[in-house]
Amino acid sequence: MKRLRAQSVLDDSSFAQNWALSRFDRGYGPKRIEQELKAKGVVPPLIRDVICKTFNQEDEKGKARLLLDKRFKGHNLSDPKILRRAATFLQRRGFSSQVVFELLGHPVQEES
């Protein structure tokens, strides 16, 4: 174990950062990445640090906008049914309710 740690093979910080970046590239938001890192056993202070380094408000909003444009291209977001689907899609991906509200212009219920 000491040898692996010395070679940085067992480095929670680099693992968490690499995991967060790979999930960010796949279109996941900070809440979902946080849940996945918790499930992997990463300690909460390190998770907060990695999330802060990976995301800022504009990164999160920009990524959510790209996903929304890709997934709902050609759909009328003024239709309540489509709007609700778009909001839940973004929330499942791990984006905050604040970002969803800013993009869609309608309040959404926070998922538990």
Side-chain angles (χ1 to χ4, degrees):
M1 292 296 276
K2 288 180 184 179
R3 189 185 81 209
L4 291 174
R5 284 197 175 104
Q7 295 174 344
S8 296
V9 174
L10 293 178
D11 183 10
D12 285 348
S13 179
S14 67
F15 166 77
Q17 187 65 42
N18 289 335
W19 183 270
L21 288 173
S22 72
R23 302 309 268 180
F24 175 78
D25 289 342
R26 292 181 67 189
Y28 293 118
K31 288 184 178 186
R32 175 125 180 219
I33 294 170
E34 180 182 353
Q35 289 173 342
E36 290 179 355
L37 287 173
K38 279 182 186 176
K40 300 245 178 245
V42 178
V43 294
L46 180 57
I47 292 172
R48 283 190 300 273
D49 184 44
V50 166
I51 294 297
C52 287
K53 287 180 183 176
T54 306
F55 287 93
N56 65 37
Q57 186 67 18
E58 292 306 312
D59 284 345
E60 183 180 359
K61 191 174 177 181
K63 182 61 87 171
R65 183 181 309 279
L66 287 172
L67 285 171
L68 189 64
D69 290 344
K70 182 178 178 182
R71 176 71 181 244
F72 292 93
K73 184 179 182 177
H75 288 88
N76 181 7
L77 290 177
S78 63
D79 178 5
K81 184 177 179 180
I82 301 296
L83 186 67
R84 190 172 43 253
R85 285 181 50 216
T88 57
F89 168 75
L90 291 174
Q91 283 187 316
R92 277 192 315 272
R93 282 297 188 124
F95 293 97
S96 68
S97 293
Q98 179 183 354
V99 168
V100 174
F101 175 75
E102 288 176 16
L103 288 176
L104 300 176
H106 296 283
V108 292
Q109 297 296 322
E110 187 72 30
E111 287 184 358
S112 312

